[in-house]
Amino acid sequence: MIYPNNFETKIGFNQIRGMLEHLCLSSLGKEKVEKMSFSSDAIQINEWLKQIRDFRLMMSEHDDFPMNYFIDVREAVMRVRPENTHLEEEEAFDLMRSLDTIAKIVDFLKKTEYQSLINLTEGIITFPNIIRRINVMLDKEGKVKDGASFTLADIRDELKKTNAKVATTLTSILFRAKMDGLVDSNASPTMRDGRLMIPVAPSAKKKIQGIVHDESATGKTVFIEPAEVVAVNNRIRELESEERREVVRILSEFTKEIRPLINDICNSYRLLADIDFIQAKVAMADDIQGCEPEVSPTPLIDWVQAQHPILKKSLEKQGKKIVPLDICIGYGKSTERILLISGPNAGGKSICLKTAGLLQYMLQCGLSIPVRENSHTGVFNELMIDIGDEQSLENDLSTYSSHLINMKTMMKSCTDRSLLLIDEFGGGTEPQIGGAMAESFLQHFLQKNTWAVITTHYQNLKLFADENEGIVNAAMLYDRNQMRPLFQLSIGNPGSSFAIEIARNIGVPEDVIREASDKVGQDYVQSDKYLQDIIRDKRYWENKRQNIHRQEKEMEKIVAEYEEKISKLKAERREIINSAKDEASRLLKESNARIESTIKEIKEKKARKEETKAARKKLNEYKEQIDTLEVFDKPKKKYILDKTDKTETTVPETPTNFVKGDYVRMKGQNTIGRIESINGKNTVCVFGDLKTRVKVSQLEKAEKPKQKIVPSGFVSMSQEARDELDRKKTHFSPDLDIRGMRGEEAINTVLHFIDDAIMVSMPTVRILHGKGDGILRNLVRQYLATVPNVKKFRDESVQFGGSGITVVDL
């Protein structure tokens, strides 16, 4: 239930409707806006809001969603229901384009994962045959093609020849008239009423045989149809009539084909209406910075940073900013259902009440609301408002009488799922009895567990709220030092009207203020001052609390970052240690195996001197290989285990003479490499495609390898390199999307993309950077101009993206 009938006007929702209608693409969407209504079904409301979220996300991910030709042709289609009626060329053309859009939308949505939008396609029939039929019948300008029938082709061919004949004849007559000086030298044939004529001065009109059809507005020129072309022009008129009859016959035949499908065709336009309506909702949500919170099936208001959208736009035009409101009733374990707001006049009480009413109504109509995403919302079955002056001369109603009628309706109709919005509660009559009546109404609302946002100035109501559960005081804050309202809502304490302070600031004589203070009593004045002090102190401590909360959030963020870093470091440390342990275990096993093998070999060969030395040498070489894996420098001498005398023998290192460019191999290996550089006892060697650091003691000289004959222009590569190149060719995409990237990130991405394209021998690639201000496009093209392998680059064709895509030829 919505009360009263002009509820939408009172809260300003009619302006929201106007904003939505302005954002619609067609009359289809506007019709949906007009029919938009209040719902108390939480499931339905959440579905509406999910459609907005999904459409916004889909449009951010895809820029090829079909949004053209939202044309409403339902009226034209319904008009041809009776026999002997037909669609006009323009109507058939609009039908084809709009049906094509519907088919494309259905096809597009069914390929996405947005179920709320996919549901819109249920029961929607597409008509590819009709689209093809119209496409064969009409040309690109929406006119019936010459080839639509043999008869039409013949008529238009004859019409073309006859027109050419008329033009030739007139040109000849005009040429003779110019030679005779009967017409101006710059004159040319003119079309009047569908007939070609010659412009002639009035004085010479009798010198040219023909029919005078018209004259200019000034009377200085008359238009004559020469006698030689009258018959031909008449024939042209006949051909044009025949052409029109044939076009009507073709359109009638087509209309007859679609007449049985009219109901299904009209029903398919429901999808266009839904999509138009949703895109308008998304556009308005972006405009008012709205979001789509999850809606609870139970009554609830817990809004963070709520803003009145109409007031916000009005203030922005004046260069001002709106003050957001935190409105909370009944969230969590709270038992309060009624919010009683007090404070100074022009302090924002009514705006707070209207904000609550407008946003709740918008939400239950399925619209985004301007609150923070951490807000919590619920559903009410009834919304009722009492605001403004409802006095009526016709119905003999005073202001207070109209308020009493509203209170009577609210008391009768309200439930525990109703939201009441009452402004200046108890006003409009003598304050004492008005306050008492308001207190009684309030008691009744409490007994029925009704939800309400109420504004008042009455002290007895503030005291009632303080003494009873289910109702909470709130204040619109006021800066007593600067004597200006802050438009901030503070829940928990009543507000002061600041009547004395405002009167003093306006300039009311001090003796009048003093007399008024004496009349109400010093206790009242002091209590009001205490109330102001409480509000001031609360605001101070609230600001402190917010600062501390913000600092705690920042501290938690920093702690979380450091904890994440520590966790990563610990994980890396564990990984390094485990890797080192595995490597050490492997080396130990391999070393033990080598030692055991050496001892066995010596024992089996009975320790002959030469064989023992050879065994020692192999073991020593293996030790040197292990030494290259060490992180720290080794001693300058080697220790070799002498198995014959069980002692350690020191053997000096004997450097081998190598120079840069020598061909070498690692001891015990067959691969031949070349020394690139020597630094003391270390070298940098190149083995095939691999460059590595090797100690001099691990190398031995080798012969220069024989040169393999390789075909010109062919570069040999390893099997692994060939496999990697094949993998890149298989998975390489010639299209790159860099929209949304920053300059440095985009250029780095393009760099790697072009390198890969050159590697896999791709002749042409496309870079999608969007249009925007052209900054990203210019950066990409500046970089491409520096790449030697880039032959040229250009804009994509207009139908495929135009300047939003750069095509690169390599």
Side-chain angles (χ1 to χ4, degrees), residues 439-482:
E439 190 172 327
S440 297
F441 288 137
L442 202 54
Q443 181 67 50
H444 182 83
F445 295 148
L446 276 177
Q447 290 173 357
K448 297 189 75 170
N449 291 324
T450 298
W451 302 70
V453 177
I454 300 172
T455 70
T456 188
H457 286 285
Y458 288 159
Q459 289 286 63
N460 67 307
L461 298 182
K462 301 176 189 177
L463 183 62
F464 180 85
D466 191 54
E467 293 175 347
N468 290 271
E469 287 196 5
I471 180 171
V472 61
N473 273 306
M476 297 305 299
L477 300 183
Y478 192 85
D479 190 331
R480 194 167 57 181
N481 295 325
Q482 299 184 21

Side-chain angles (χ1 to χ4, degrees), residues 340-381:
L340 187 71
I341 306 173
S342 51
N345 287 316
K349 299 189 302 297
S350 297
I351 289 296
C352 181
L353 181 136
K354 285 186 175 182
T355 300
L358 177 60
L359 297 196
Q360 188 63 42
Y361 194 77
M362 287 175 63
L363 181 71
Q364 293 192 228
C365 285
L367 301 179
S368 308
I369 58 174
V371 298
R372 288 282 181 86
E373 291 183 351
N374 58 337
S375 300
H376 301 87
T377 62
V379 172
F380 296 91
N381 289 351

Side-chain angles (χ1 to χ4, degrees), residues 152-365:
L152 184 62
D154 292 340
I155 292 171
R156 286 184 175 174
D157 184 57
E158 184 180 351
L159 188 59
K160 190 182 298 182
K161 291 177 181 178
T162 307
N163 276 320
K165 182 179 179 181
V166 170
T168 303
T169 304
L170 274 180
T171 302
S172 176
I173 295 170
L174 188 61
F175 177 76
R176 291 197 304 269
K178 287 179 181 180
M179 296 295 292
D180 296 338
L182 301 178
V183 298
D184 189 73
S185 59
N186 296 323
S188 60
T190 303
M191 184 70 72
R192 290 277 171 163
D193 296 328
R195 304 170 80 94
L196 279 172
M197 303 180 191
I198 296 175
V200 180
S203 58
K205 65 182 180 179
K206 293 184 178 180
K207 297 179 180 180
I208 297 178
Q209 294 296 319
I211 302 171
V212 177
H213 282 271
D214 199 2
E215 67 177 19
S216 65
T218 60
K220 295 181 179 180
T221 305
V222 294
F223 299 94
I224 298 177
E225 182 182 14
E228 294 94 323
V229 298
V230 170
V232 183
N233 273 336
N234 289 337
R235 178 55 183 160
I236 289 174
R237 287 295 181 91
E238 291 174 3
L239 289 172
E240 287 174 346
S241 297
E242 290 176 15
E243 179 191 27
R244 176 58 188 166
R245 285 194 294 273
E246 181 63 17
V247 166
V248 169
R249 187 192 67 77
I250 293 169
L251 292 172
S252 297
E253 283 185 3
F254 166 72
T255 305
K256 185 177 180 181
E257 292 174 17
I258 69 167
R259 192 167 283 122
L261 304 172
I262 284 178
N263 288 336
D264 290 335
I265 291 173
C266 290
N267 181 63
S268 68
Y269 281 83
R270 176 168 52 87
L271 178 62
L272 280 188
D274 289 336
I275 294 297
D276 192 10
F277 186 36
I278 293 169
Q279 71 81 26
K281 288 183 181 181
V282 173
M284 191 181 76
D286 294 341
D287 186 35
I288 66 175
Q289 297 179 343
C291 72
E292 302 78 40
E294 194 67 25
V295 179
S296 167
T298 57
L300 171 65
I301 293 179
D302 176 33
W303 300 341
V304 181
Q305 302 282 289
Q307 301 176 11
H308 193 291
I310 300 170
L311 177 62
K312 180 184 178 182
K313 292 181 72 68
S314 176
L315 292 174
E316 285 175 349
K317 291 179 182 177
Q318 304 171 38
K320 300 177 183 178
K321 290 185 177 181
I322 193 170
V323 179
L325 301 169
D326 292 341
I327 307 175
C328 179
I329 318 175
Y331 178 62
K333 297 181 180 179
S334 173
T335 59
E336 287 86 4
R337 292 169 173 257
I338 299 177
L339 186 66
L340 187 71
I341 306 173
S342 51
N345 287 316
K349 299 189 302 297
S350 297
I351 289 296
C352 181
L353 181 136
K354 285 186 175 182
T355 300
L358 177 60
L359 297 196
Q360 188 63 42
Y361 194 77
M362 287 175 63
L363 181 71
Q364 293 192 228
C365 285

Side-chain angles (χ1 to χ4, degrees), residues 85 118 120 362 378 395 436 569 622 726 777:
T85 57
I118 295 173
L120 298 176
M362 287 175 63
N395 298 323
L569 287 172
Y622 177 69
D726 291 339
R777 174 178 177 268

Side-chain angles (χ1 to χ4, degrees), residues 735-804:
D735 295 325
L736 174 66
D737 188 350
I738 59 172
R739 289 172 300 170
M741 295 185 184
R742 294 187 177 275
E744 184 177 349
E745 180 190 4
I747 293 302
N748 192 42
T749 304
V750 171
L751 185 150
H752 291 293
F753 175 70
I754 294 297
D755 285 349
D756 288 347
I758 293 169
M759 183 180 296
V760 300
S761 303
M762 185 63 61
T764 303
V765 295
R766 300 164 77 250
I767 301 173
L768 175 57
H769 42 64
K771 296 179 181 177
D773 295 327
I775 297 173
L776 201 56
R777 174 178 177 268
N778 292 336
L779 285 174
V780 169
R781 295 194 172 193
Q782 288 171 10
Y783 165 73
L784 291 174
T786 66
V787 181
N789 292 77
V790 173
K791 184 189 299 182
K792 63 180 180 179
F793 49 83
R794 64 187 184 278
D795 286 344
E796 178 62 279
S797 301
V798 174
Q799 63 268 33
F800 297 116
S803 59

